[in-house]
Amino acid sequence: MDQSGVLLWVKAEPFLVGALQMPPPSKFSLHYLRKISTYVRTRASEGAYPRLYWSAWRHIACGKLQLPKDVAWLYFEIFEGLSVKTPEERLEWSELLSNCTSEDEVEKQRNQLSVDTLQFLLFLYIQQLNKVSLRTSLIGEEWPSPRSRPQSPDLTEKSNGHNKNWNDYSHQAFVSYHLSDLLELLLDPEQLSESFHSTHSSLVSREGVMALSFLIEGTVSGARKIYPLHELALWQPLHAESGFSKISKTFSFYKLEAWLRASLTENPFGTSACLKSGKKLAWAHQVEGTARRAKIACNTHVAPRRHRMVVMSQVCKQTLAKSSDTLLGAHVKIHRCNESFIYLLSPLRSVTIEKCRNSTFVLGPTETALHLYSCDNVKVIAVCRRLSVSSTTDCIFHILTPTRPLILSGNQRVTFAPFHTHYPMLEDHMARTGLATVPNYWDNPMVVCKENSDTSVFRLLPPSEFYVFITPFEMEGDTTEIPGGLPSTYQKALDLREQKIQIWQKTVKEAHLTKDQRNHLLAPETLPVHLDRQDREIKPHTSSHFVSQNHCLNFLGRGLDKCCCLRIQYQCQGIYLGPRPPTERRQGTQH
């Protein structure tokens, strides 16, 4: 700790939800970003600086960098989604887009959007987090820099995990290693040498340090309040160390860099801190016959808004259901879960599902990003702002999303389908996260990586295979149907199936059969193939009950011999995890 008692750390959220889990375009290299940094300042009157409008970025990305327009919009949209806006503002934007009747009208609305130019440059630079380097993959090091850059050896050792987006050691190592480049991106052109490097007399503007607050924040030792970087750098007692001059209203480049390096420390609200000292939650129990014990930890009891995390690992052969303040606005990571059903019915900030198998996830509205990596035979049911998938096999996504789903590298047999469930608080949770029912791009995925240019990597679920999913719990709330309804083709398929069921039931009724004969005909093994499945998907339990911290979730069991729901309520305390439910019925199979 330095003498001033100031602690700085790298913020997690820009990396968690801002850095795409794929190598960035080659034109996002430091060489091109430096050119953009100079160019935007010469186009201030054209909407490029200090706020960068979509029209200006489209010109730069498509005209100068030769990027496809949809890729240019993708990065602009992701960064804009990280900006601080109220749910009402997000809903208003969705309404504007839903009222557009042509692509030209959509483009006209997009032209009204702007982002902080310098922060956007930093955002583009941190996409290098997931850059694939042959040298890195072989020996675990970065390419040597022409200038010496201090780096803590322990950070290098701890940052070798594959998913760098959730690795706060990787975040700190990345910023520490590239700090000079990040600062140089913020310099005015006249502060750079002919080779686009800083000099000993280079000065960083206040606006530049404010932009760096996108990545760095901190606190004063002994205080609980978190401050953005620029507020600490401008604090009177720190002027000598941060290099701020009251006369020029600027910072000395080298003093500022030295102060940042000396003050950077581990993120107290990062994943590592959450696992080390976070609160352990007894949401899941070890199941007999499994080698590993389920682990769930959170920092929500100490972390401020947008810093909350819940990490869940190794839930096996269980059903877990929660709706509580612990999840509210949290970044959630679900890791190595197998043969389980997990219901997280609260508004969430982001969700990452990694290395899970043979499981179903029903999620509350996810305000920013939902990402799946290295999952097999997983079903995800969610409302989210953005979905991205990489290295998945045989996964099904029932989603409602205002952005195009992103298919990254390594996927096989991805299926997209309309969102098909509801729970009583769903619409209220959607309003709190600024997510509307329109526009909905669930059926228009974007294949981003070149290896997946063949659209056969995904399919849309045929209406003949579609069934509504019933979330089998009760809670207070007003939502009684699927928000936004179903696409007409899927609704027609359900109506036709229901009609066939009614015709069959009427035929049996009018046949004047005995009770035994009627029961025999209605048994699953004797039903026609097109009736040999319930008209609604559900996960029936025999004696399962779940109590969250704030809501009692009463199980709704569905009888197999009657077309009705039986409500079973058990009075108990704490969390009870019943046995894993039976696999959902499929055509031509029996329970």
Side-chain angles (χ1 to χ4, degrees), residues 292-350:
R292 296 180 177 180
R293 184 179 182 85
K295 301 175 183 178
I296 305 176
C298 75
N299 66 1
T300 54
H301 59 296
V302 294
R305 184 173 176 266
R306 294 202 178 187
H307 294 73
R308 297 179 175 182
M309 286 188 178
V310 175
V311 181
M312 182 183 305
S313 182
Q314 300 171 14
V315 177
C316 182
K317 297 182 179 180
Q318 299 186 50
T319 295
L320 187 155
K322 282 295 281 189
S323 178
S324 74
D325 287 342
T326 301
L327 291 168
L328 183 61
H331 296 282
V332 178
K333 181 176 182 179
I334 306 172
H335 179 252
R336 293 190 182 277
C337 294
N338 187 32
E339 297 186 57
S340 295
F341 291 85
I342 296 177
Y343 301 79
L344 303 180
L345 308 182
S346 292
L348 309 170
R349 181 65 178 169
S350 75

Side-chain angles (χ1 to χ4, degrees), residues 22-40:
M22 68 175 191
S26 59
K27 296 297 180 67
F28 285 0
S29 66
L30 180 61
H31 171 74
Y32 285 100
L33 292 181
R34 281 172 172 161
K35 287 190 172 184
I36 295 173
S37 179
T38 301
Y39 178 81
V40 293

Side-chain angles (χ1 to χ4, degrees), residues 62-294:
C62 301
K64 305 293 184 182
L65 304 182
Q66 299 298 304
L67 296 177
K69 180 182 173 182
D70 56 355
V71 173
W73 172 249
L74 169 63
Y75 284 98
F76 191 88
E77 183 180 49
I78 290 173
F79 180 72
E80 197 278 334
L82 290 174
S83 61
V84 178
K85 288 189 175 180
T86 65
E88 291 76 17
E89 290 174 321
R90 297 289 182 193
L91 293 173
E92 182 180 353
W93 170 249
S94 295
E95 184 178 1
L96 288 173
L97 289 185
S98 65
N99 290 332
C100 294
T101 58
S102 67
E103 185 62 32
D104 288 340
E105 290 186 13
V106 172
E107 198 68 10
K108 185 177 179 180
Q109 293 298 334
R110 288 179 176 178
N111 288 338
Q112 306 302 314
L113 293 178
S114 69
V115 296
D116 183 283
T117 305
L118 295 181
Q119 287 189 7
F120 186 64
L121 288 173
L122 296 178
F123 163 77
L124 295 180
Y125 189 86
I126 67 171
Q127 302 304 317
Q128 304 292 329
L129 178 74
N130 290 310
K131 181 179 180 180
V132 176
S133 165
L134 178 61
R135 181 178 178 87
T136 301
S137 63
L138 291 176
I139 64 176
E141 297 178 1
E142 296 283 356
W143 286 99
S145 169
R147 290 177 291 172
S148 176
R149 304 184 187 191
Q151 183 178 8
S152 172
D154 63 320
L155 292 181
T156 306
E157 293 174 6
K158 295 177 182 178
S159 63
N160 288 331
H162 183 85
N163 190 347
K164 295 181 179 180
N165 293 64
W166 270 84
N167 190 328
D168 47 303
Y169 292 110
S170 290
H171 306 166
Q172 185 179 348
F174 181 90
V175 171
S176 296
Y177 188 84
H178 298 284
L179 185 58
S180 294
D181 293 339
L182 291 168
L183 288 171
E184 285 177 354
L185 279 179
L186 304 174
L187 289 176
D188 292 328
E190 60 271 16
Q191 300 295 329
L192 293 169
S193 65
E194 292 183 0
S195 59
F196 289 98
H197 289 299
S198 60
T199 65
H200 285 286
S201 59
S202 294
L203 300 174
V204 184
S205 66
R206 291 179 59 169
E207 292 74 20
V209 176
M210 290 179 68
L212 197 58
S213 296
F214 170 65
L215 295 177
I216 300 175
E217 62 188 3
T219 189
V220 180
S221 181
R224 295 177 59 89
K225 184 177 179 181
I226 298 175
Y227 299 90
L229 171 65
H230 65 274
E231 289 188 14
L232 292 172
L234 291 169
W235 188 32
Q236 175 69 36
L238 290 177
H239 285 179
E241 288 144 292
S242 66
F244 180 70
S245 168
K246 287 185 177 181
I247 299 174
S248 64
K249 306 291 185 184
T250 57
F251 293 83
S252 164
F253 182 97
Y254 284 94
K255 280 191 176 183
L256 178 64
E257 181 182 7
W259 175 64
L260 291 173
R261 291 192 185 281
S263 303
L264 277 176
T265 185
E266 178 182 338
N267 185 346
F269 308 112
T271 311
S272 301
C274 179
L275 295 175
K276 286 179 186 176
S277 55
K279 183 179 180 180
K280 303 303 184 288
L281 303 173
W283 288 0
H285 301 161
Q286 185 169 12
V287 175
E288 184 177 355
T290 59
R292 296 180 177 180
R293 184 179 182 85

Side-chain angles (χ1 to χ4, degrees), residues 278-434:
K279 183 179 180 180
K280 303 303 184 288
L281 303 173
W283 288 0
H285 301 161
Q286 185 169 12
V287 175
E288 184 177 355
T290 59
R292 296 180 177 180
R293 184 179 182 85
K295 301 175 183 178
I296 305 176
C298 75
N299 66 1
T300 54
H301 59 296
V302 294
R305 184 173 176 266
R306 294 202 178 187
H307 294 73
R308 297 179 175 182
M309 286 188 178
V310 175
V311 181
M312 182 183 305
S313 182
Q314 300 171 14
V315 177
C316 182
K317 297 182 179 180
Q318 299 186 50
T319 295
L320 187 155
K322 282 295 281 189
S323 178
S324 74
D325 287 342
T326 301
L327 291 168
L328 183 61
H331 296 282
V332 178
K333 181 176 182 179
I334 306 172
H335 179 252
R336 293 190 182 277
C337 294
N338 187 32
E339 297 186 57
S340 295
F341 291 85
I342 296 177
Y343 301 79
L344 303 180
L345 308 182
S346 292
L348 309 170
R349 181 65 178 169
S350 75
V351 179
T352 297
I353 302 175
E354 181 178 301
K355 297 182 180 179
C356 294
R357 307 284 184 270
N358 309 315
S359 298
T360 295
F361 302 93
V362 183
L363 306 174
T366 305
E367 189 174 2
T368 56
L370 166 59
H371 178 69
L372 273 81
Y373 166 73
S374 191
C375 293
D376 296 338
N377 193 30
V378 160
K379 175 181 286 187
V380 177
I381 304 170
V383 179
C384 60
R385 186 163 305 281
R386 185 177 81 247
L387 169 71
S388 59
V389 297
S390 59
S391 302
T392 66
T393 303
D394 295 318
C395 292
I396 301 176
F397 302 95
H398 288 267
I399 57 169
L400 192 165
T401 177
T403 62
R404 297 178 65 186
L406 303 180
I407 300 178
L408 308 181
S409 62
N411 296 286
Q412 299 180 52
R413 299 182 295 279
V414 179
T415 300
F416 293 100
F419 185 72
H420 67 333
T421 193
H422 64 86
Y423 61 90
M425 291 289 291
L426 177 56
E427 289 175 310
D428 177 67
H429 290 170
M430 290 175 63
R432 294 171 70 175
T433 52

